[in-house]
Short mmCIF file of all heavy atoms in Angstrom, two decimals:
data_model
loop_
_atom_site.label_atom_id
_atom_site.label_comp_id
_atom_site.label_asym_id
_atom_site.label_seq_id
_atom_site.Cartn_x
_atom_site.Cartn_y
_atom_site.Cartn_z
N LYS A 426 -23.26 32.06 -23.28
CA LYS A 426 -24.70 32.01 -23.67
C LYS A 426 -25.37 30.80 -22.95
O LYS A 426 -26.39 30.39 -23.44
CB LYS A 426 -24.76 31.84 -25.17
CG LYS A 426 -24.04 32.91 -26.00
CD LYS A 426 -24.85 34.13 -25.97
CE LYS A 426 -26.09 34.09 -26.95
NZ LYS A 426 -25.71 34.03 -28.37
N THR A 427 -24.77 30.41 -21.90
CA THR A 427 -25.37 29.11 -21.22
C THR A 427 -26.79 29.33 -20.85
O THR A 427 -27.62 28.47 -21.07
CB THR A 427 -24.53 28.87 -20.04
OG1 THR A 427 -23.13 28.50 -20.36
CG2 THR A 427 -25.11 27.67 -19.22
N HIS A 428 -27.24 30.41 -20.23
CA HIS A 428 -28.55 30.54 -19.70
C HIS A 428 -29.51 30.71 -20.89
O HIS A 428 -30.64 30.20 -20.86
CB HIS A 428 -28.62 31.70 -18.81
CG HIS A 428 -27.83 31.66 -17.59
ND1 HIS A 428 -28.10 30.67 -16.67
CD2 HIS A 428 -26.72 32.25 -17.05
CE1 HIS A 428 -27.26 30.70 -15.62
NE2 HIS A 428 -26.38 31.73 -15.90
N GLU A 429 -29.07 31.29 -22.00
CA GLU A 429 -29.95 31.51 -23.05
C GLU A 429 -30.09 30.33 -23.93
O GLU A 429 -31.19 29.76 -24.34
CB GLU A 429 -29.42 32.63 -24.03
CG GLU A 429 -30.26 32.87 -25.28
CD GLU A 429 -29.57 34.03 -26.04
OE1 GLU A 429 -28.66 34.62 -25.55
OE2 GLU A 429 -30.05 34.27 -27.16
N MET A 430 -28.95 29.49 -24.15
CA MET A 430 -28.98 28.31 -25.09
C MET A 430 -29.39 27.08 -24.44
O MET A 430 -29.82 26.15 -25.12
CB MET A 430 -27.50 28.28 -25.85
CG MET A 430 -27.31 29.37 -26.77
SD MET A 430 -28.37 29.35 -28.16
CE MET A 430 -29.17 30.90 -27.91
N THR A 431 -29.04 26.84 -23.15
CA THR A 431 -29.33 25.58 -22.47
C THR A 431 -30.73 25.08 -22.67
O THR A 431 -31.03 23.96 -23.03
CB THR A 431 -28.88 25.54 -21.06
OG1 THR A 431 -27.41 25.81 -21.07
CG2 THR A 431 -29.13 24.11 -20.46
N PRO A 432 -31.68 26.00 -22.44
CA PRO A 432 -33.16 25.51 -22.50
C PRO A 432 -33.42 25.08 -24.00
O PRO A 432 -34.18 24.08 -24.13
CB PRO A 432 -34.00 26.68 -22.14
CG PRO A 432 -33.10 27.53 -21.21
CD PRO A 432 -31.73 27.31 -21.77
N LEU A 433 -32.88 25.75 -24.82
CA LEU A 433 -33.08 25.39 -26.28
C LEU A 433 -32.38 24.01 -26.73
O LEU A 433 -32.98 23.24 -27.39
CB LEU A 433 -32.48 26.43 -27.26
CG LEU A 433 -33.09 27.78 -27.09
CD1 LEU A 433 -32.40 28.76 -28.09
CD2 LEU A 433 -34.55 27.85 -27.29
N ILE A 434 -31.27 23.84 -26.08
CA ILE A 434 -30.51 22.52 -26.29
C ILE A 434 -31.36 21.29 -25.60
O ILE A 434 -31.43 20.30 -26.31
CB ILE A 434 -29.13 22.53 -25.77
CG1 ILE A 434 -28.30 23.52 -26.59
CG2 ILE A 434 -28.52 21.18 -25.81
CD1 ILE A 434 -26.90 23.75 -26.06
N VAL A 435 -31.82 21.59 -24.48
CA VAL A 435 -32.70 20.55 -23.80
C VAL A 435 -33.89 20.19 -24.56
O VAL A 435 -34.13 18.98 -24.93
CB VAL A 435 -33.08 21.13 -22.49
CG1 VAL A 435 -34.24 20.12 -21.79
CG2 VAL A 435 -31.91 21.24 -21.46
N ASP A 436 -34.62 21.19 -25.20
CA ASP A 436 -35.70 20.89 -25.98
C ASP A 436 -35.31 20.20 -27.24
O ASP A 436 -36.06 19.25 -27.69
CB ASP A 436 -36.44 22.22 -26.38
CG ASP A 436 -37.14 22.84 -25.23
OD1 ASP A 436 -37.52 22.11 -24.25
OD2 ASP A 436 -37.44 24.10 -25.32
N TYR A 437 -34.17 20.53 -27.81
CA TYR A 437 -33.76 19.94 -29.11
C TYR A 437 -33.40 18.52 -28.81
O TYR A 437 -33.80 17.60 -29.61
CB TYR A 437 -32.58 20.67 -29.70
CG TYR A 437 -32.15 20.38 -31.03
CD1 TYR A 437 -32.93 20.96 -32.23
CD2 TYR A 437 -31.30 19.35 -31.38
CE1 TYR A 437 -32.54 20.62 -33.49
CE2 TYR A 437 -31.05 18.94 -32.72
CZ TYR A 437 -31.70 19.67 -33.72
OH TYR A 437 -31.37 19.26 -35.03
N VAL A 438 -32.62 18.21 -27.83
CA VAL A 438 -32.32 16.84 -27.52
C VAL A 438 -33.40 15.97 -27.24
O VAL A 438 -33.50 14.78 -27.61
CB VAL A 438 -31.22 16.79 -26.35
CG1 VAL A 438 -30.92 15.38 -25.92
CG2 VAL A 438 -29.87 17.54 -26.89
N MET A 439 -34.48 16.52 -26.58
CA MET A 439 -35.71 15.74 -26.34
C MET A 439 -36.38 15.38 -27.53
O MET A 439 -37.03 14.31 -27.65
CB MET A 439 -36.55 16.47 -25.32
CG MET A 439 -35.96 16.62 -23.99
SD MET A 439 -37.01 17.58 -22.81
CE MET A 439 -38.35 16.64 -22.62
N GLN A 440 -36.34 16.25 -28.62
CA GLN A 440 -37.04 16.08 -29.91
C GLN A 440 -36.08 15.17 -30.77
O GLN A 440 -36.60 14.58 -31.77
CB GLN A 440 -37.40 17.33 -30.49
CG GLN A 440 -38.38 18.19 -29.83
CD GLN A 440 -39.73 17.42 -29.74
OE1 GLN A 440 -40.18 16.78 -30.70
NE2 GLN A 440 -40.37 17.42 -28.51
N ASN A 441 -34.85 15.25 -30.47
CA ASN A 441 -33.84 14.53 -31.39
C ASN A 441 -32.79 13.80 -30.54
O ASN A 441 -31.75 14.27 -30.29
CB ASN A 441 -33.00 15.61 -32.28
CG ASN A 441 -33.95 16.44 -33.13
OD1 ASN A 441 -34.36 16.11 -34.25
ND2 ASN A 441 -34.31 17.62 -32.58
N PRO A 442 -33.32 12.67 -30.00
CA PRO A 442 -32.51 11.93 -28.91
C PRO A 442 -31.20 11.25 -29.40
O PRO A 442 -30.58 10.61 -28.62
CB PRO A 442 -33.50 10.99 -28.43
CG PRO A 442 -34.50 10.62 -29.56
CD PRO A 442 -34.64 12.12 -30.20
N LYS A 443 -30.89 11.30 -30.71
CA LYS A 443 -29.50 10.93 -31.13
C LYS A 443 -28.42 11.88 -30.58
O LYS A 443 -27.23 11.39 -30.43
CB LYS A 443 -29.50 10.93 -32.60
CG LYS A 443 -29.45 12.24 -33.30
CD LYS A 443 -29.39 12.06 -34.82
CE LYS A 443 -29.44 13.53 -35.42
NZ LYS A 443 -29.33 13.46 -36.96
N TRP A 444 -28.89 12.98 -30.26
CA TRP A 444 -27.89 13.99 -29.55
C TRP A 444 -27.91 13.83 -28.10
O TRP A 444 -28.88 13.46 -27.42
CB TRP A 444 -28.25 15.46 -29.92
CG TRP A 444 -28.14 15.72 -31.42
CD1 TRP A 444 -29.01 15.72 -32.41
CD2 TRP A 444 -26.88 16.23 -32.01
NE1 TRP A 444 -28.38 16.07 -33.60
CE2 TRP A 444 -27.23 16.41 -33.36
CE3 TRP A 444 -25.63 16.47 -31.47
CZ2 TRP A 444 -26.13 16.87 -34.30
CZ3 TRP A 444 -24.68 16.99 -32.41
CH2 TRP A 444 -24.91 17.07 -33.69
N GLU A 445 -26.78 14.23 -27.46
CA GLU A 445 -26.69 14.29 -26.00
C GLU A 445 -26.23 15.68 -25.65
O GLU A 445 -25.65 16.45 -26.51
CB GLU A 445 -25.75 13.26 -25.50
CG GLU A 445 -26.10 11.83 -25.81
CD GLU A 445 -25.00 10.86 -25.40
OE1 GLU A 445 -24.64 10.77 -24.14
OE2 GLU A 445 -24.46 10.14 -26.25
N ILE A 446 -26.29 16.11 -24.41
CA ILE A 446 -25.90 17.34 -23.94
C ILE A 446 -24.50 17.36 -23.23
O ILE A 446 -24.36 16.40 -22.43
CB ILE A 446 -26.87 17.93 -22.95
CG1 ILE A 446 -28.28 18.27 -23.63
CG2 ILE A 446 -26.30 19.25 -22.31
CD1 ILE A 446 -29.37 18.66 -22.72
N SER A 447 -23.70 18.17 -23.71
CA SER A 447 -22.33 18.21 -23.05
C SER A 447 -22.33 19.62 -22.27
O SER A 447 -22.69 20.54 -22.83
CB SER A 447 -21.25 18.24 -24.05
OG SER A 447 -19.97 18.51 -23.46
N LEU A 448 -21.80 19.65 -21.02
CA LEU A 448 -21.72 20.85 -20.26
C LEU A 448 -20.29 21.11 -19.93
O LEU A 448 -19.56 20.01 -19.72
CB LEU A 448 -22.59 20.83 -19.04
CG LEU A 448 -24.15 20.75 -19.27
CD1 LEU A 448 -24.80 20.63 -17.98
CD2 LEU A 448 -24.57 22.01 -19.97
N GLN A 449 -19.84 22.25 -19.73
CA GLN A 449 -18.49 22.52 -19.25
C GLN A 449 -18.49 22.30 -17.68
O GLN A 449 -18.30 23.29 -16.97
CB GLN A 449 -17.95 23.87 -19.67
CG GLN A 449 -17.74 23.96 -21.31
CD GLN A 449 -17.28 25.36 -21.65
OE1 GLN A 449 -17.97 26.25 -21.60
NE2 GLN A 449 -15.98 25.38 -22.14
N THR A 450 -18.53 21.07 -17.35
CA THR A 450 -18.69 20.84 -15.90
C THR A 450 -17.45 21.23 -15.12
O THR A 450 -17.56 21.60 -13.89
CB THR A 450 -18.88 19.31 -15.62
OG1 THR A 450 -17.73 18.60 -16.06
CG2 THR A 450 -20.16 18.89 -16.23
N HIS A 451 -16.24 21.33 -15.68
CA HIS A 451 -15.03 21.86 -14.97
C HIS A 451 -15.25 23.32 -14.53
O HIS A 451 -14.63 23.63 -13.53
CB HIS A 451 -13.84 21.72 -15.80
CG HIS A 451 -13.86 22.29 -17.23
ND1 HIS A 451 -14.76 21.84 -18.12
CD2 HIS A 451 -13.17 23.44 -17.71
CE1 HIS A 451 -14.59 22.67 -19.31
NE2 HIS A 451 -13.69 23.57 -19.05
N LYS A 452 -16.06 23.99 -15.31
CA LYS A 452 -16.21 25.49 -14.87
C LYS A 452 -17.16 25.54 -13.74
O LYS A 452 -16.97 26.33 -12.83
CB LYS A 452 -16.84 26.33 -16.09
CG LYS A 452 -15.73 26.35 -17.15
CD LYS A 452 -16.13 27.35 -18.30
CE LYS A 452 -15.04 27.53 -19.30
NZ LYS A 452 -15.44 28.45 -20.37
N TYR A 453 -18.21 24.72 -13.63
CA TYR A 453 -19.05 24.60 -12.60
C TYR A 453 -18.27 24.11 -11.29
O TYR A 453 -18.47 24.54 -10.16
CB TYR A 453 -20.14 23.63 -12.73
CG TYR A 453 -21.15 24.09 -13.78
CD1 TYR A 453 -21.14 23.63 -15.16
CD2 TYR A 453 -22.13 25.05 -13.45
CE1 TYR A 453 -21.98 24.06 -16.06
CE2 TYR A 453 -23.02 25.52 -14.42
CZ TYR A 453 -22.92 24.97 -15.71
OH TYR A 453 -23.85 25.56 -16.60
N LEU A 454 -17.28 23.25 -11.48
CA LEU A 454 -16.53 22.65 -10.46
C LEU A 454 -15.27 23.52 -9.99
O LEU A 454 -14.68 23.29 -9.02
CB LEU A 454 -15.90 21.34 -10.82
CG LEU A 454 -16.87 20.09 -10.96
CD1 LEU A 454 -16.23 18.95 -11.63
CD2 LEU A 454 -17.60 19.80 -9.67
N ASN A 455 -15.10 24.60 -10.85
CA ASN A 455 -13.99 25.50 -10.68
C ASN A 455 -12.66 24.94 -10.54
O ASN A 455 -11.81 25.06 -9.64
CB ASN A 455 -14.20 26.37 -9.23
CG ASN A 455 -13.37 27.50 -9.23
OD1 ASN A 455 -13.02 28.14 -10.25
ND2 ASN A 455 -13.03 27.96 -7.99
N ILE A 456 -12.37 24.05 -11.60
CA ILE A 456 -11.05 23.45 -11.74
C ILE A 456 -10.57 23.61 -13.20
O ILE A 456 -11.46 24.02 -14.03
CB ILE A 456 -11.23 21.82 -11.50
CG1 ILE A 456 -12.27 21.17 -12.50
CG2 ILE A 456 -11.60 21.53 -10.06
CD1 ILE A 456 -12.43 19.61 -12.42
N PRO A 457 -9.41 23.42 -13.48
CA PRO A 457 -8.81 23.73 -14.90
C PRO A 457 -9.53 22.93 -15.99
O PRO A 457 -10.03 21.79 -15.70
CB PRO A 457 -7.32 23.31 -14.66
CG PRO A 457 -6.99 23.33 -13.24
CD PRO A 457 -8.30 22.92 -12.58
#
């Protein structure tokens, strides 16, 4: 659901900056 949820998470974190965004960067890097 990355494409659907990421914009919502971005907006939420901007409104609630105690939160940070975590991404599964290993999948973007194509590593285990």
Side-chain angles (χ1 to χ4, degrees):
K426 304 283 286 291
T427 297
H428 296 298
E429 180 182 351
M430 289 296 117
T431 298
L433 300 181
I434 293 173
V435 169
D436 289 343
Y437 192 87
V438 170
M439 291 175 69
Q440 294 299 318
N441 302 274
K443 68 181 181 181
W444 290 94
E445 301 176 55
I446 297 175
S447 171
L448 298 174
Q449 292 181 293
T450 58
H451 55 292
K452 294 188 175 181
Y453 293 99
L454 295 170
N455 196 29
I456 59 176

